[in-house]
Amino acid sequence: NKNTVKVAVSSYSKDLKDPFNPKILGQLEITGYSDYLYLWDDTHLLGIGQESDPETGIMTGAKLSMFNIEDPLNIYEENKYVVEGESSYFNTAYKALLLDNEKNIIGLGITRDYYKDENDDDLNTDYELTGDVIWNYNYVTENDYMIFSYNSDTGFSLNLTDIISSVDDFIHYSVYMSIADVRGMYIGDYVYIVVPDAGIKVYDINTYKPVCQINYDLADEKKDVLLEDNKQSKSDEEGDNKEDKNNKKNNKKNKKSEKRDKDKNETEN
């Protein structure tokens, strides 16, 4: 079943100094698993993946884990954060992740699939839903871009949830758009969330309050490009026509001058 995993997954720390005789130094069993591991600092390893029910092994949501690896003989899951939802998953494509320990940014896209109680407008989830969704009977799919920070004492903090799939939001994009196309980046004191062919949203990196947004319509953009191309082509064509006229005029002058010189020579002879 694609929605089930092992109840517990083992993680190991290994000594590879002698490649012909590797040794297991420590072992850790956790619920769920990590699709992607990232060295956060010298003593922490960030895991991005799935959480599972400890009794049934059924996936219960997307999961961030921070493993303490300071002591290779005693590695442990220091903190975790689970975004609950049926078949929810983070996009772990390398270039789609925004990970920076110095800025304390963990940015990544997430797709959430879950059921809604038809008799309950509140979606029976502690995760706030603020954008448009597509309903298939009582099944909901949602794409978001989320940014977290991490503190060893307090764990993961969700600083920003940007709805990508909302039809009435700034992006005007279908919920079925691949979250893999979305990118997060920062320049100076600003974070940019970029959705190809749709828009860009800018946030303050310290407060995560919206600063500005850029909306654009690809059809209009293509139209503008075509107009510019047409203007340039017309300008080039006019330039070519003008040059042809000048060449013809100069050729005519040259022919007249040659005829005068010829007539003059004949008269002198």
Side-chain angles (χ1 to χ4, degrees), residues 18 32 42 48 59 64 76 83 101 107 149 184 210 212 219 229 241 252:
D18 182 358
D42 292 339
I48 304 172
M59 291 192 301
L64 295 177
Y76 61 94
V83 181
N101 170 262
S149 57
C212 66
D229 288 343
N241 291 336
K252 190 174 181 179

Side-chain angles (χ1 to χ4, degrees), residues 5-11 28-33 52-55 57:
V5 295
K6 290 182 179 180
V7 174
V9 175
S10 296
S11 299
L28 167 69
E29 286 195 350
I30 60 170
T31 54
Y33 61 91
S52 63
D53 185 283
E55 301 296 329

Side-chain angles (χ1 to χ4, degrees), residues 153-199:
D153 296 327
T154 59
F156 293 95
S157 297
L158 176 59
N159 299 318
L160 174 67
T161 301
D162 192 88
I163 306 296
I164 302 300
S165 60
S166 173
V167 175
D168 60 355
D169 201 272
F170 84 103
I171 287 233
H172 306 295
Y173 215 81
S174 168
V175 73
Y176 293 117
M177 178 212 66
S178 173
I179 196 65
D181 296 330
V182 180
R183 293 291 183 270
M185 61 192 73
Y186 70 84
I187 302 175
D189 292 329
Y190 301 99
V191 173
Y192 300 80
I193 297 178
V194 182
V195 180
D197 301 339

Side-chain angles (χ1 to χ4, degrees), residues 27 30 68 142 148 162 195 197 202 225-226 232:
Q27 179 178 348
I30 60 170
N68 190 306
E142 180 183 344
F148 299 84
D162 192 88
V195 180
D197 301 339
V202 185
V225 171
L226 289 173
Q232 185 62 44

Side-chain angles (χ1 to χ4, degrees), residues 86-136:
E86 178 79 11
S87 300
S88 297
Y89 62 91
F90 287 118
N91 172 31
T92 53
Y94 170 70
K95 291 186 177 181
L97 297 172
L98 175 60
L99 305 174
D100 191 305
N101 170 262
E102 292 185 4
K103 292 286 187 179
N104 199 4
I105 293 179
I106 303 170
L108 63 178
I110 180 171
T111 295
R112 302 179 65 239
D113 298 328
Y114 53 92
Y115 288 95
K116 176 182 181 295
D117 184 349
E118 293 180 350
N119 298 319
D120 186 3
D121 292 333
D122 184 5
L123 297 174
N124 288 328
T125 174
D126 56 3
Y127 178 80
E128 184 180 1
L129 178 66
T130 57
D132 250 3
V133 291
I134 289 179
W135 303 98
N136 182 9

